[in-house]
């Protein structure tokens, strides 16, 4: 079924919910729209975001290529639990074994799905992997040494959201959510194999050829996401953003929107959030730390290249709703 163009653009319009109010304030207070200092800031922030994310994208495409060439479909099907509850619990713990940032998660998960991993397990891994891993756990403890409740809240809420979303995907999403069917991917891989790998199957050369193809496919969306994020960070003063976060409910929405727009790596976002410990309570801080790795601007673009538009929209709305409700609950339990 084909959807209208405007429907396909909906995932890219989600940032407008957060950007329009701050743009209104900015345009009212600054008559000089773009200065040389702003342009230099865009270049600096873009370079920082891109260089921070690129190693994880490279790691992701290399792991994806290793899975493609050396892991058989039968192995993936054999280790994947048949019980959905055990399956989502298994997926939520995969981040401990594969500590991959959200930037490199998409190509790995797509390849695992092509090898036979069910969609609900894959989605659980996408959401939990960037948070529930030793590197992020250690970084969060370091950033919030005097506030251990933030670390507890982050890990607990990330686990709860990932498991809940995984089970809901199992119940309500029976069709293949990949944008291209498994048959199309198989036909493409067969064509590439006949053209490039027929004479040299499972060699290091074929590994890097495959990784290069995936890097080009995913990298263009990383560049676009990093550039748009740099523009938002450079042109919108943080003080004006903070002014929008006054109020019990607005503080949660602000921190969630801030995480979406900043698009920080999950290994470093805790140090940014720690700057707000005297401004916000535990709940808004946890909403920032959980939503960002699960759903930010650059990862939304990368999700849209892999999954169907309708699935991405539903997944995005579900994650935002659960993070909001969960962070309010965390604040009630741990904010005392």
């Amino acid at each position: 079924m084909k959807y209208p163009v405007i429907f396909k653009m909906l995932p890219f319009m989600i940032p407008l919910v957060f950007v329009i109010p701050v743009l209104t304030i900015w345009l009212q207070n600054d008559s000089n729209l773009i200065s040389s200092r702003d342009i230099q800031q865009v270049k600096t922030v873009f370079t920082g975001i891109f260089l921070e994310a690129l190693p994880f994208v490279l790691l992701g495409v290399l792991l994806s290529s290793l899975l493609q060439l050396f892991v058989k479909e039968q192995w993936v099907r054999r280790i994947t639990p048949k019980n959905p509850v055990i399956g989502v619990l298994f997926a939520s713990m995969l981040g401990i074994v594969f500590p991959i940032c959200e930037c490199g998660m998409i190509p790995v998960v797509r390849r695992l799905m092509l090898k036979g991993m069910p969609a609900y397990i894959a989605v659980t891994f996408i959401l939990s992997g960037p948070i529930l891993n030793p590197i992020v756990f250690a970084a969060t403890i370091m950033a919030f040494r005097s506030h251990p409740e933030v670390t507890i809240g982050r890990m607990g809420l990330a686990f709860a959201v990932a498991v809940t979303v995984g089970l809901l995907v199992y119940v309500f999403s029976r069709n293949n959510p990949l944008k291209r069917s498994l048959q199309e991917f198989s036909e493409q891989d067969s064509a590439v194999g006949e053209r490039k790998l027929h004479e040299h199957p499972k060699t290091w050369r074929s590994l890097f050829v495959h990784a290069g193809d995936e890097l080009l496919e995913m990298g263009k969306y990383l560049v676009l996401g990093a550039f748009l994020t740099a523009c938002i960070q450079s042109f919108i003063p943080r003080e004006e953003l903070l002014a929008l976060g006054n109020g019990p409910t607005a503080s949660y929405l602000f921190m969630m929107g801030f995480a979406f727009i900043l698009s920080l790596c999950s290994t470093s976002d805790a140090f940014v959030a720690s700057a707000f410990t005297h401004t916000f309570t535990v709940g808004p801080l946890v909403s920032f730390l959980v939503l960002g790795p699960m759903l930010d601007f650059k990862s939304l673009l990368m999700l849209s290249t892999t999954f169907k538009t309708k699935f991405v929209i539903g997944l995005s709305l579900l994650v935002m709703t659960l993070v909001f409700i969960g962070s309010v609950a965390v604040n009630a339990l741990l904010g005392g």
Side-chain angles (χ1 to χ4, degrees), residues 87-127:
V88 295
L89 293 176
F90 164 77
S92 64
M93 296 293 104
L94 277 178
I96 298 176
V97 182
F98 299 105
I100 308 172
C101 179
E102 68 272 16
C103 305
M105 187 68 68
I106 305 300
V108 173
V109 168
R110 183 175 66 180
R111 185 55 54 187
L112 286 171
M113 290 184 68
L114 294 176
K115 293 290 184 180
M117 176 175 283
Y120 67 92
I121 293 182
V123 169
T124 304
F125 183 35
I126 288 176
L127 299 179

Side-chain angles (χ1 to χ4, degrees), residues 57 118 147 176 207:
V57 175
H147 299 277
N176 173 34
L207 171 72

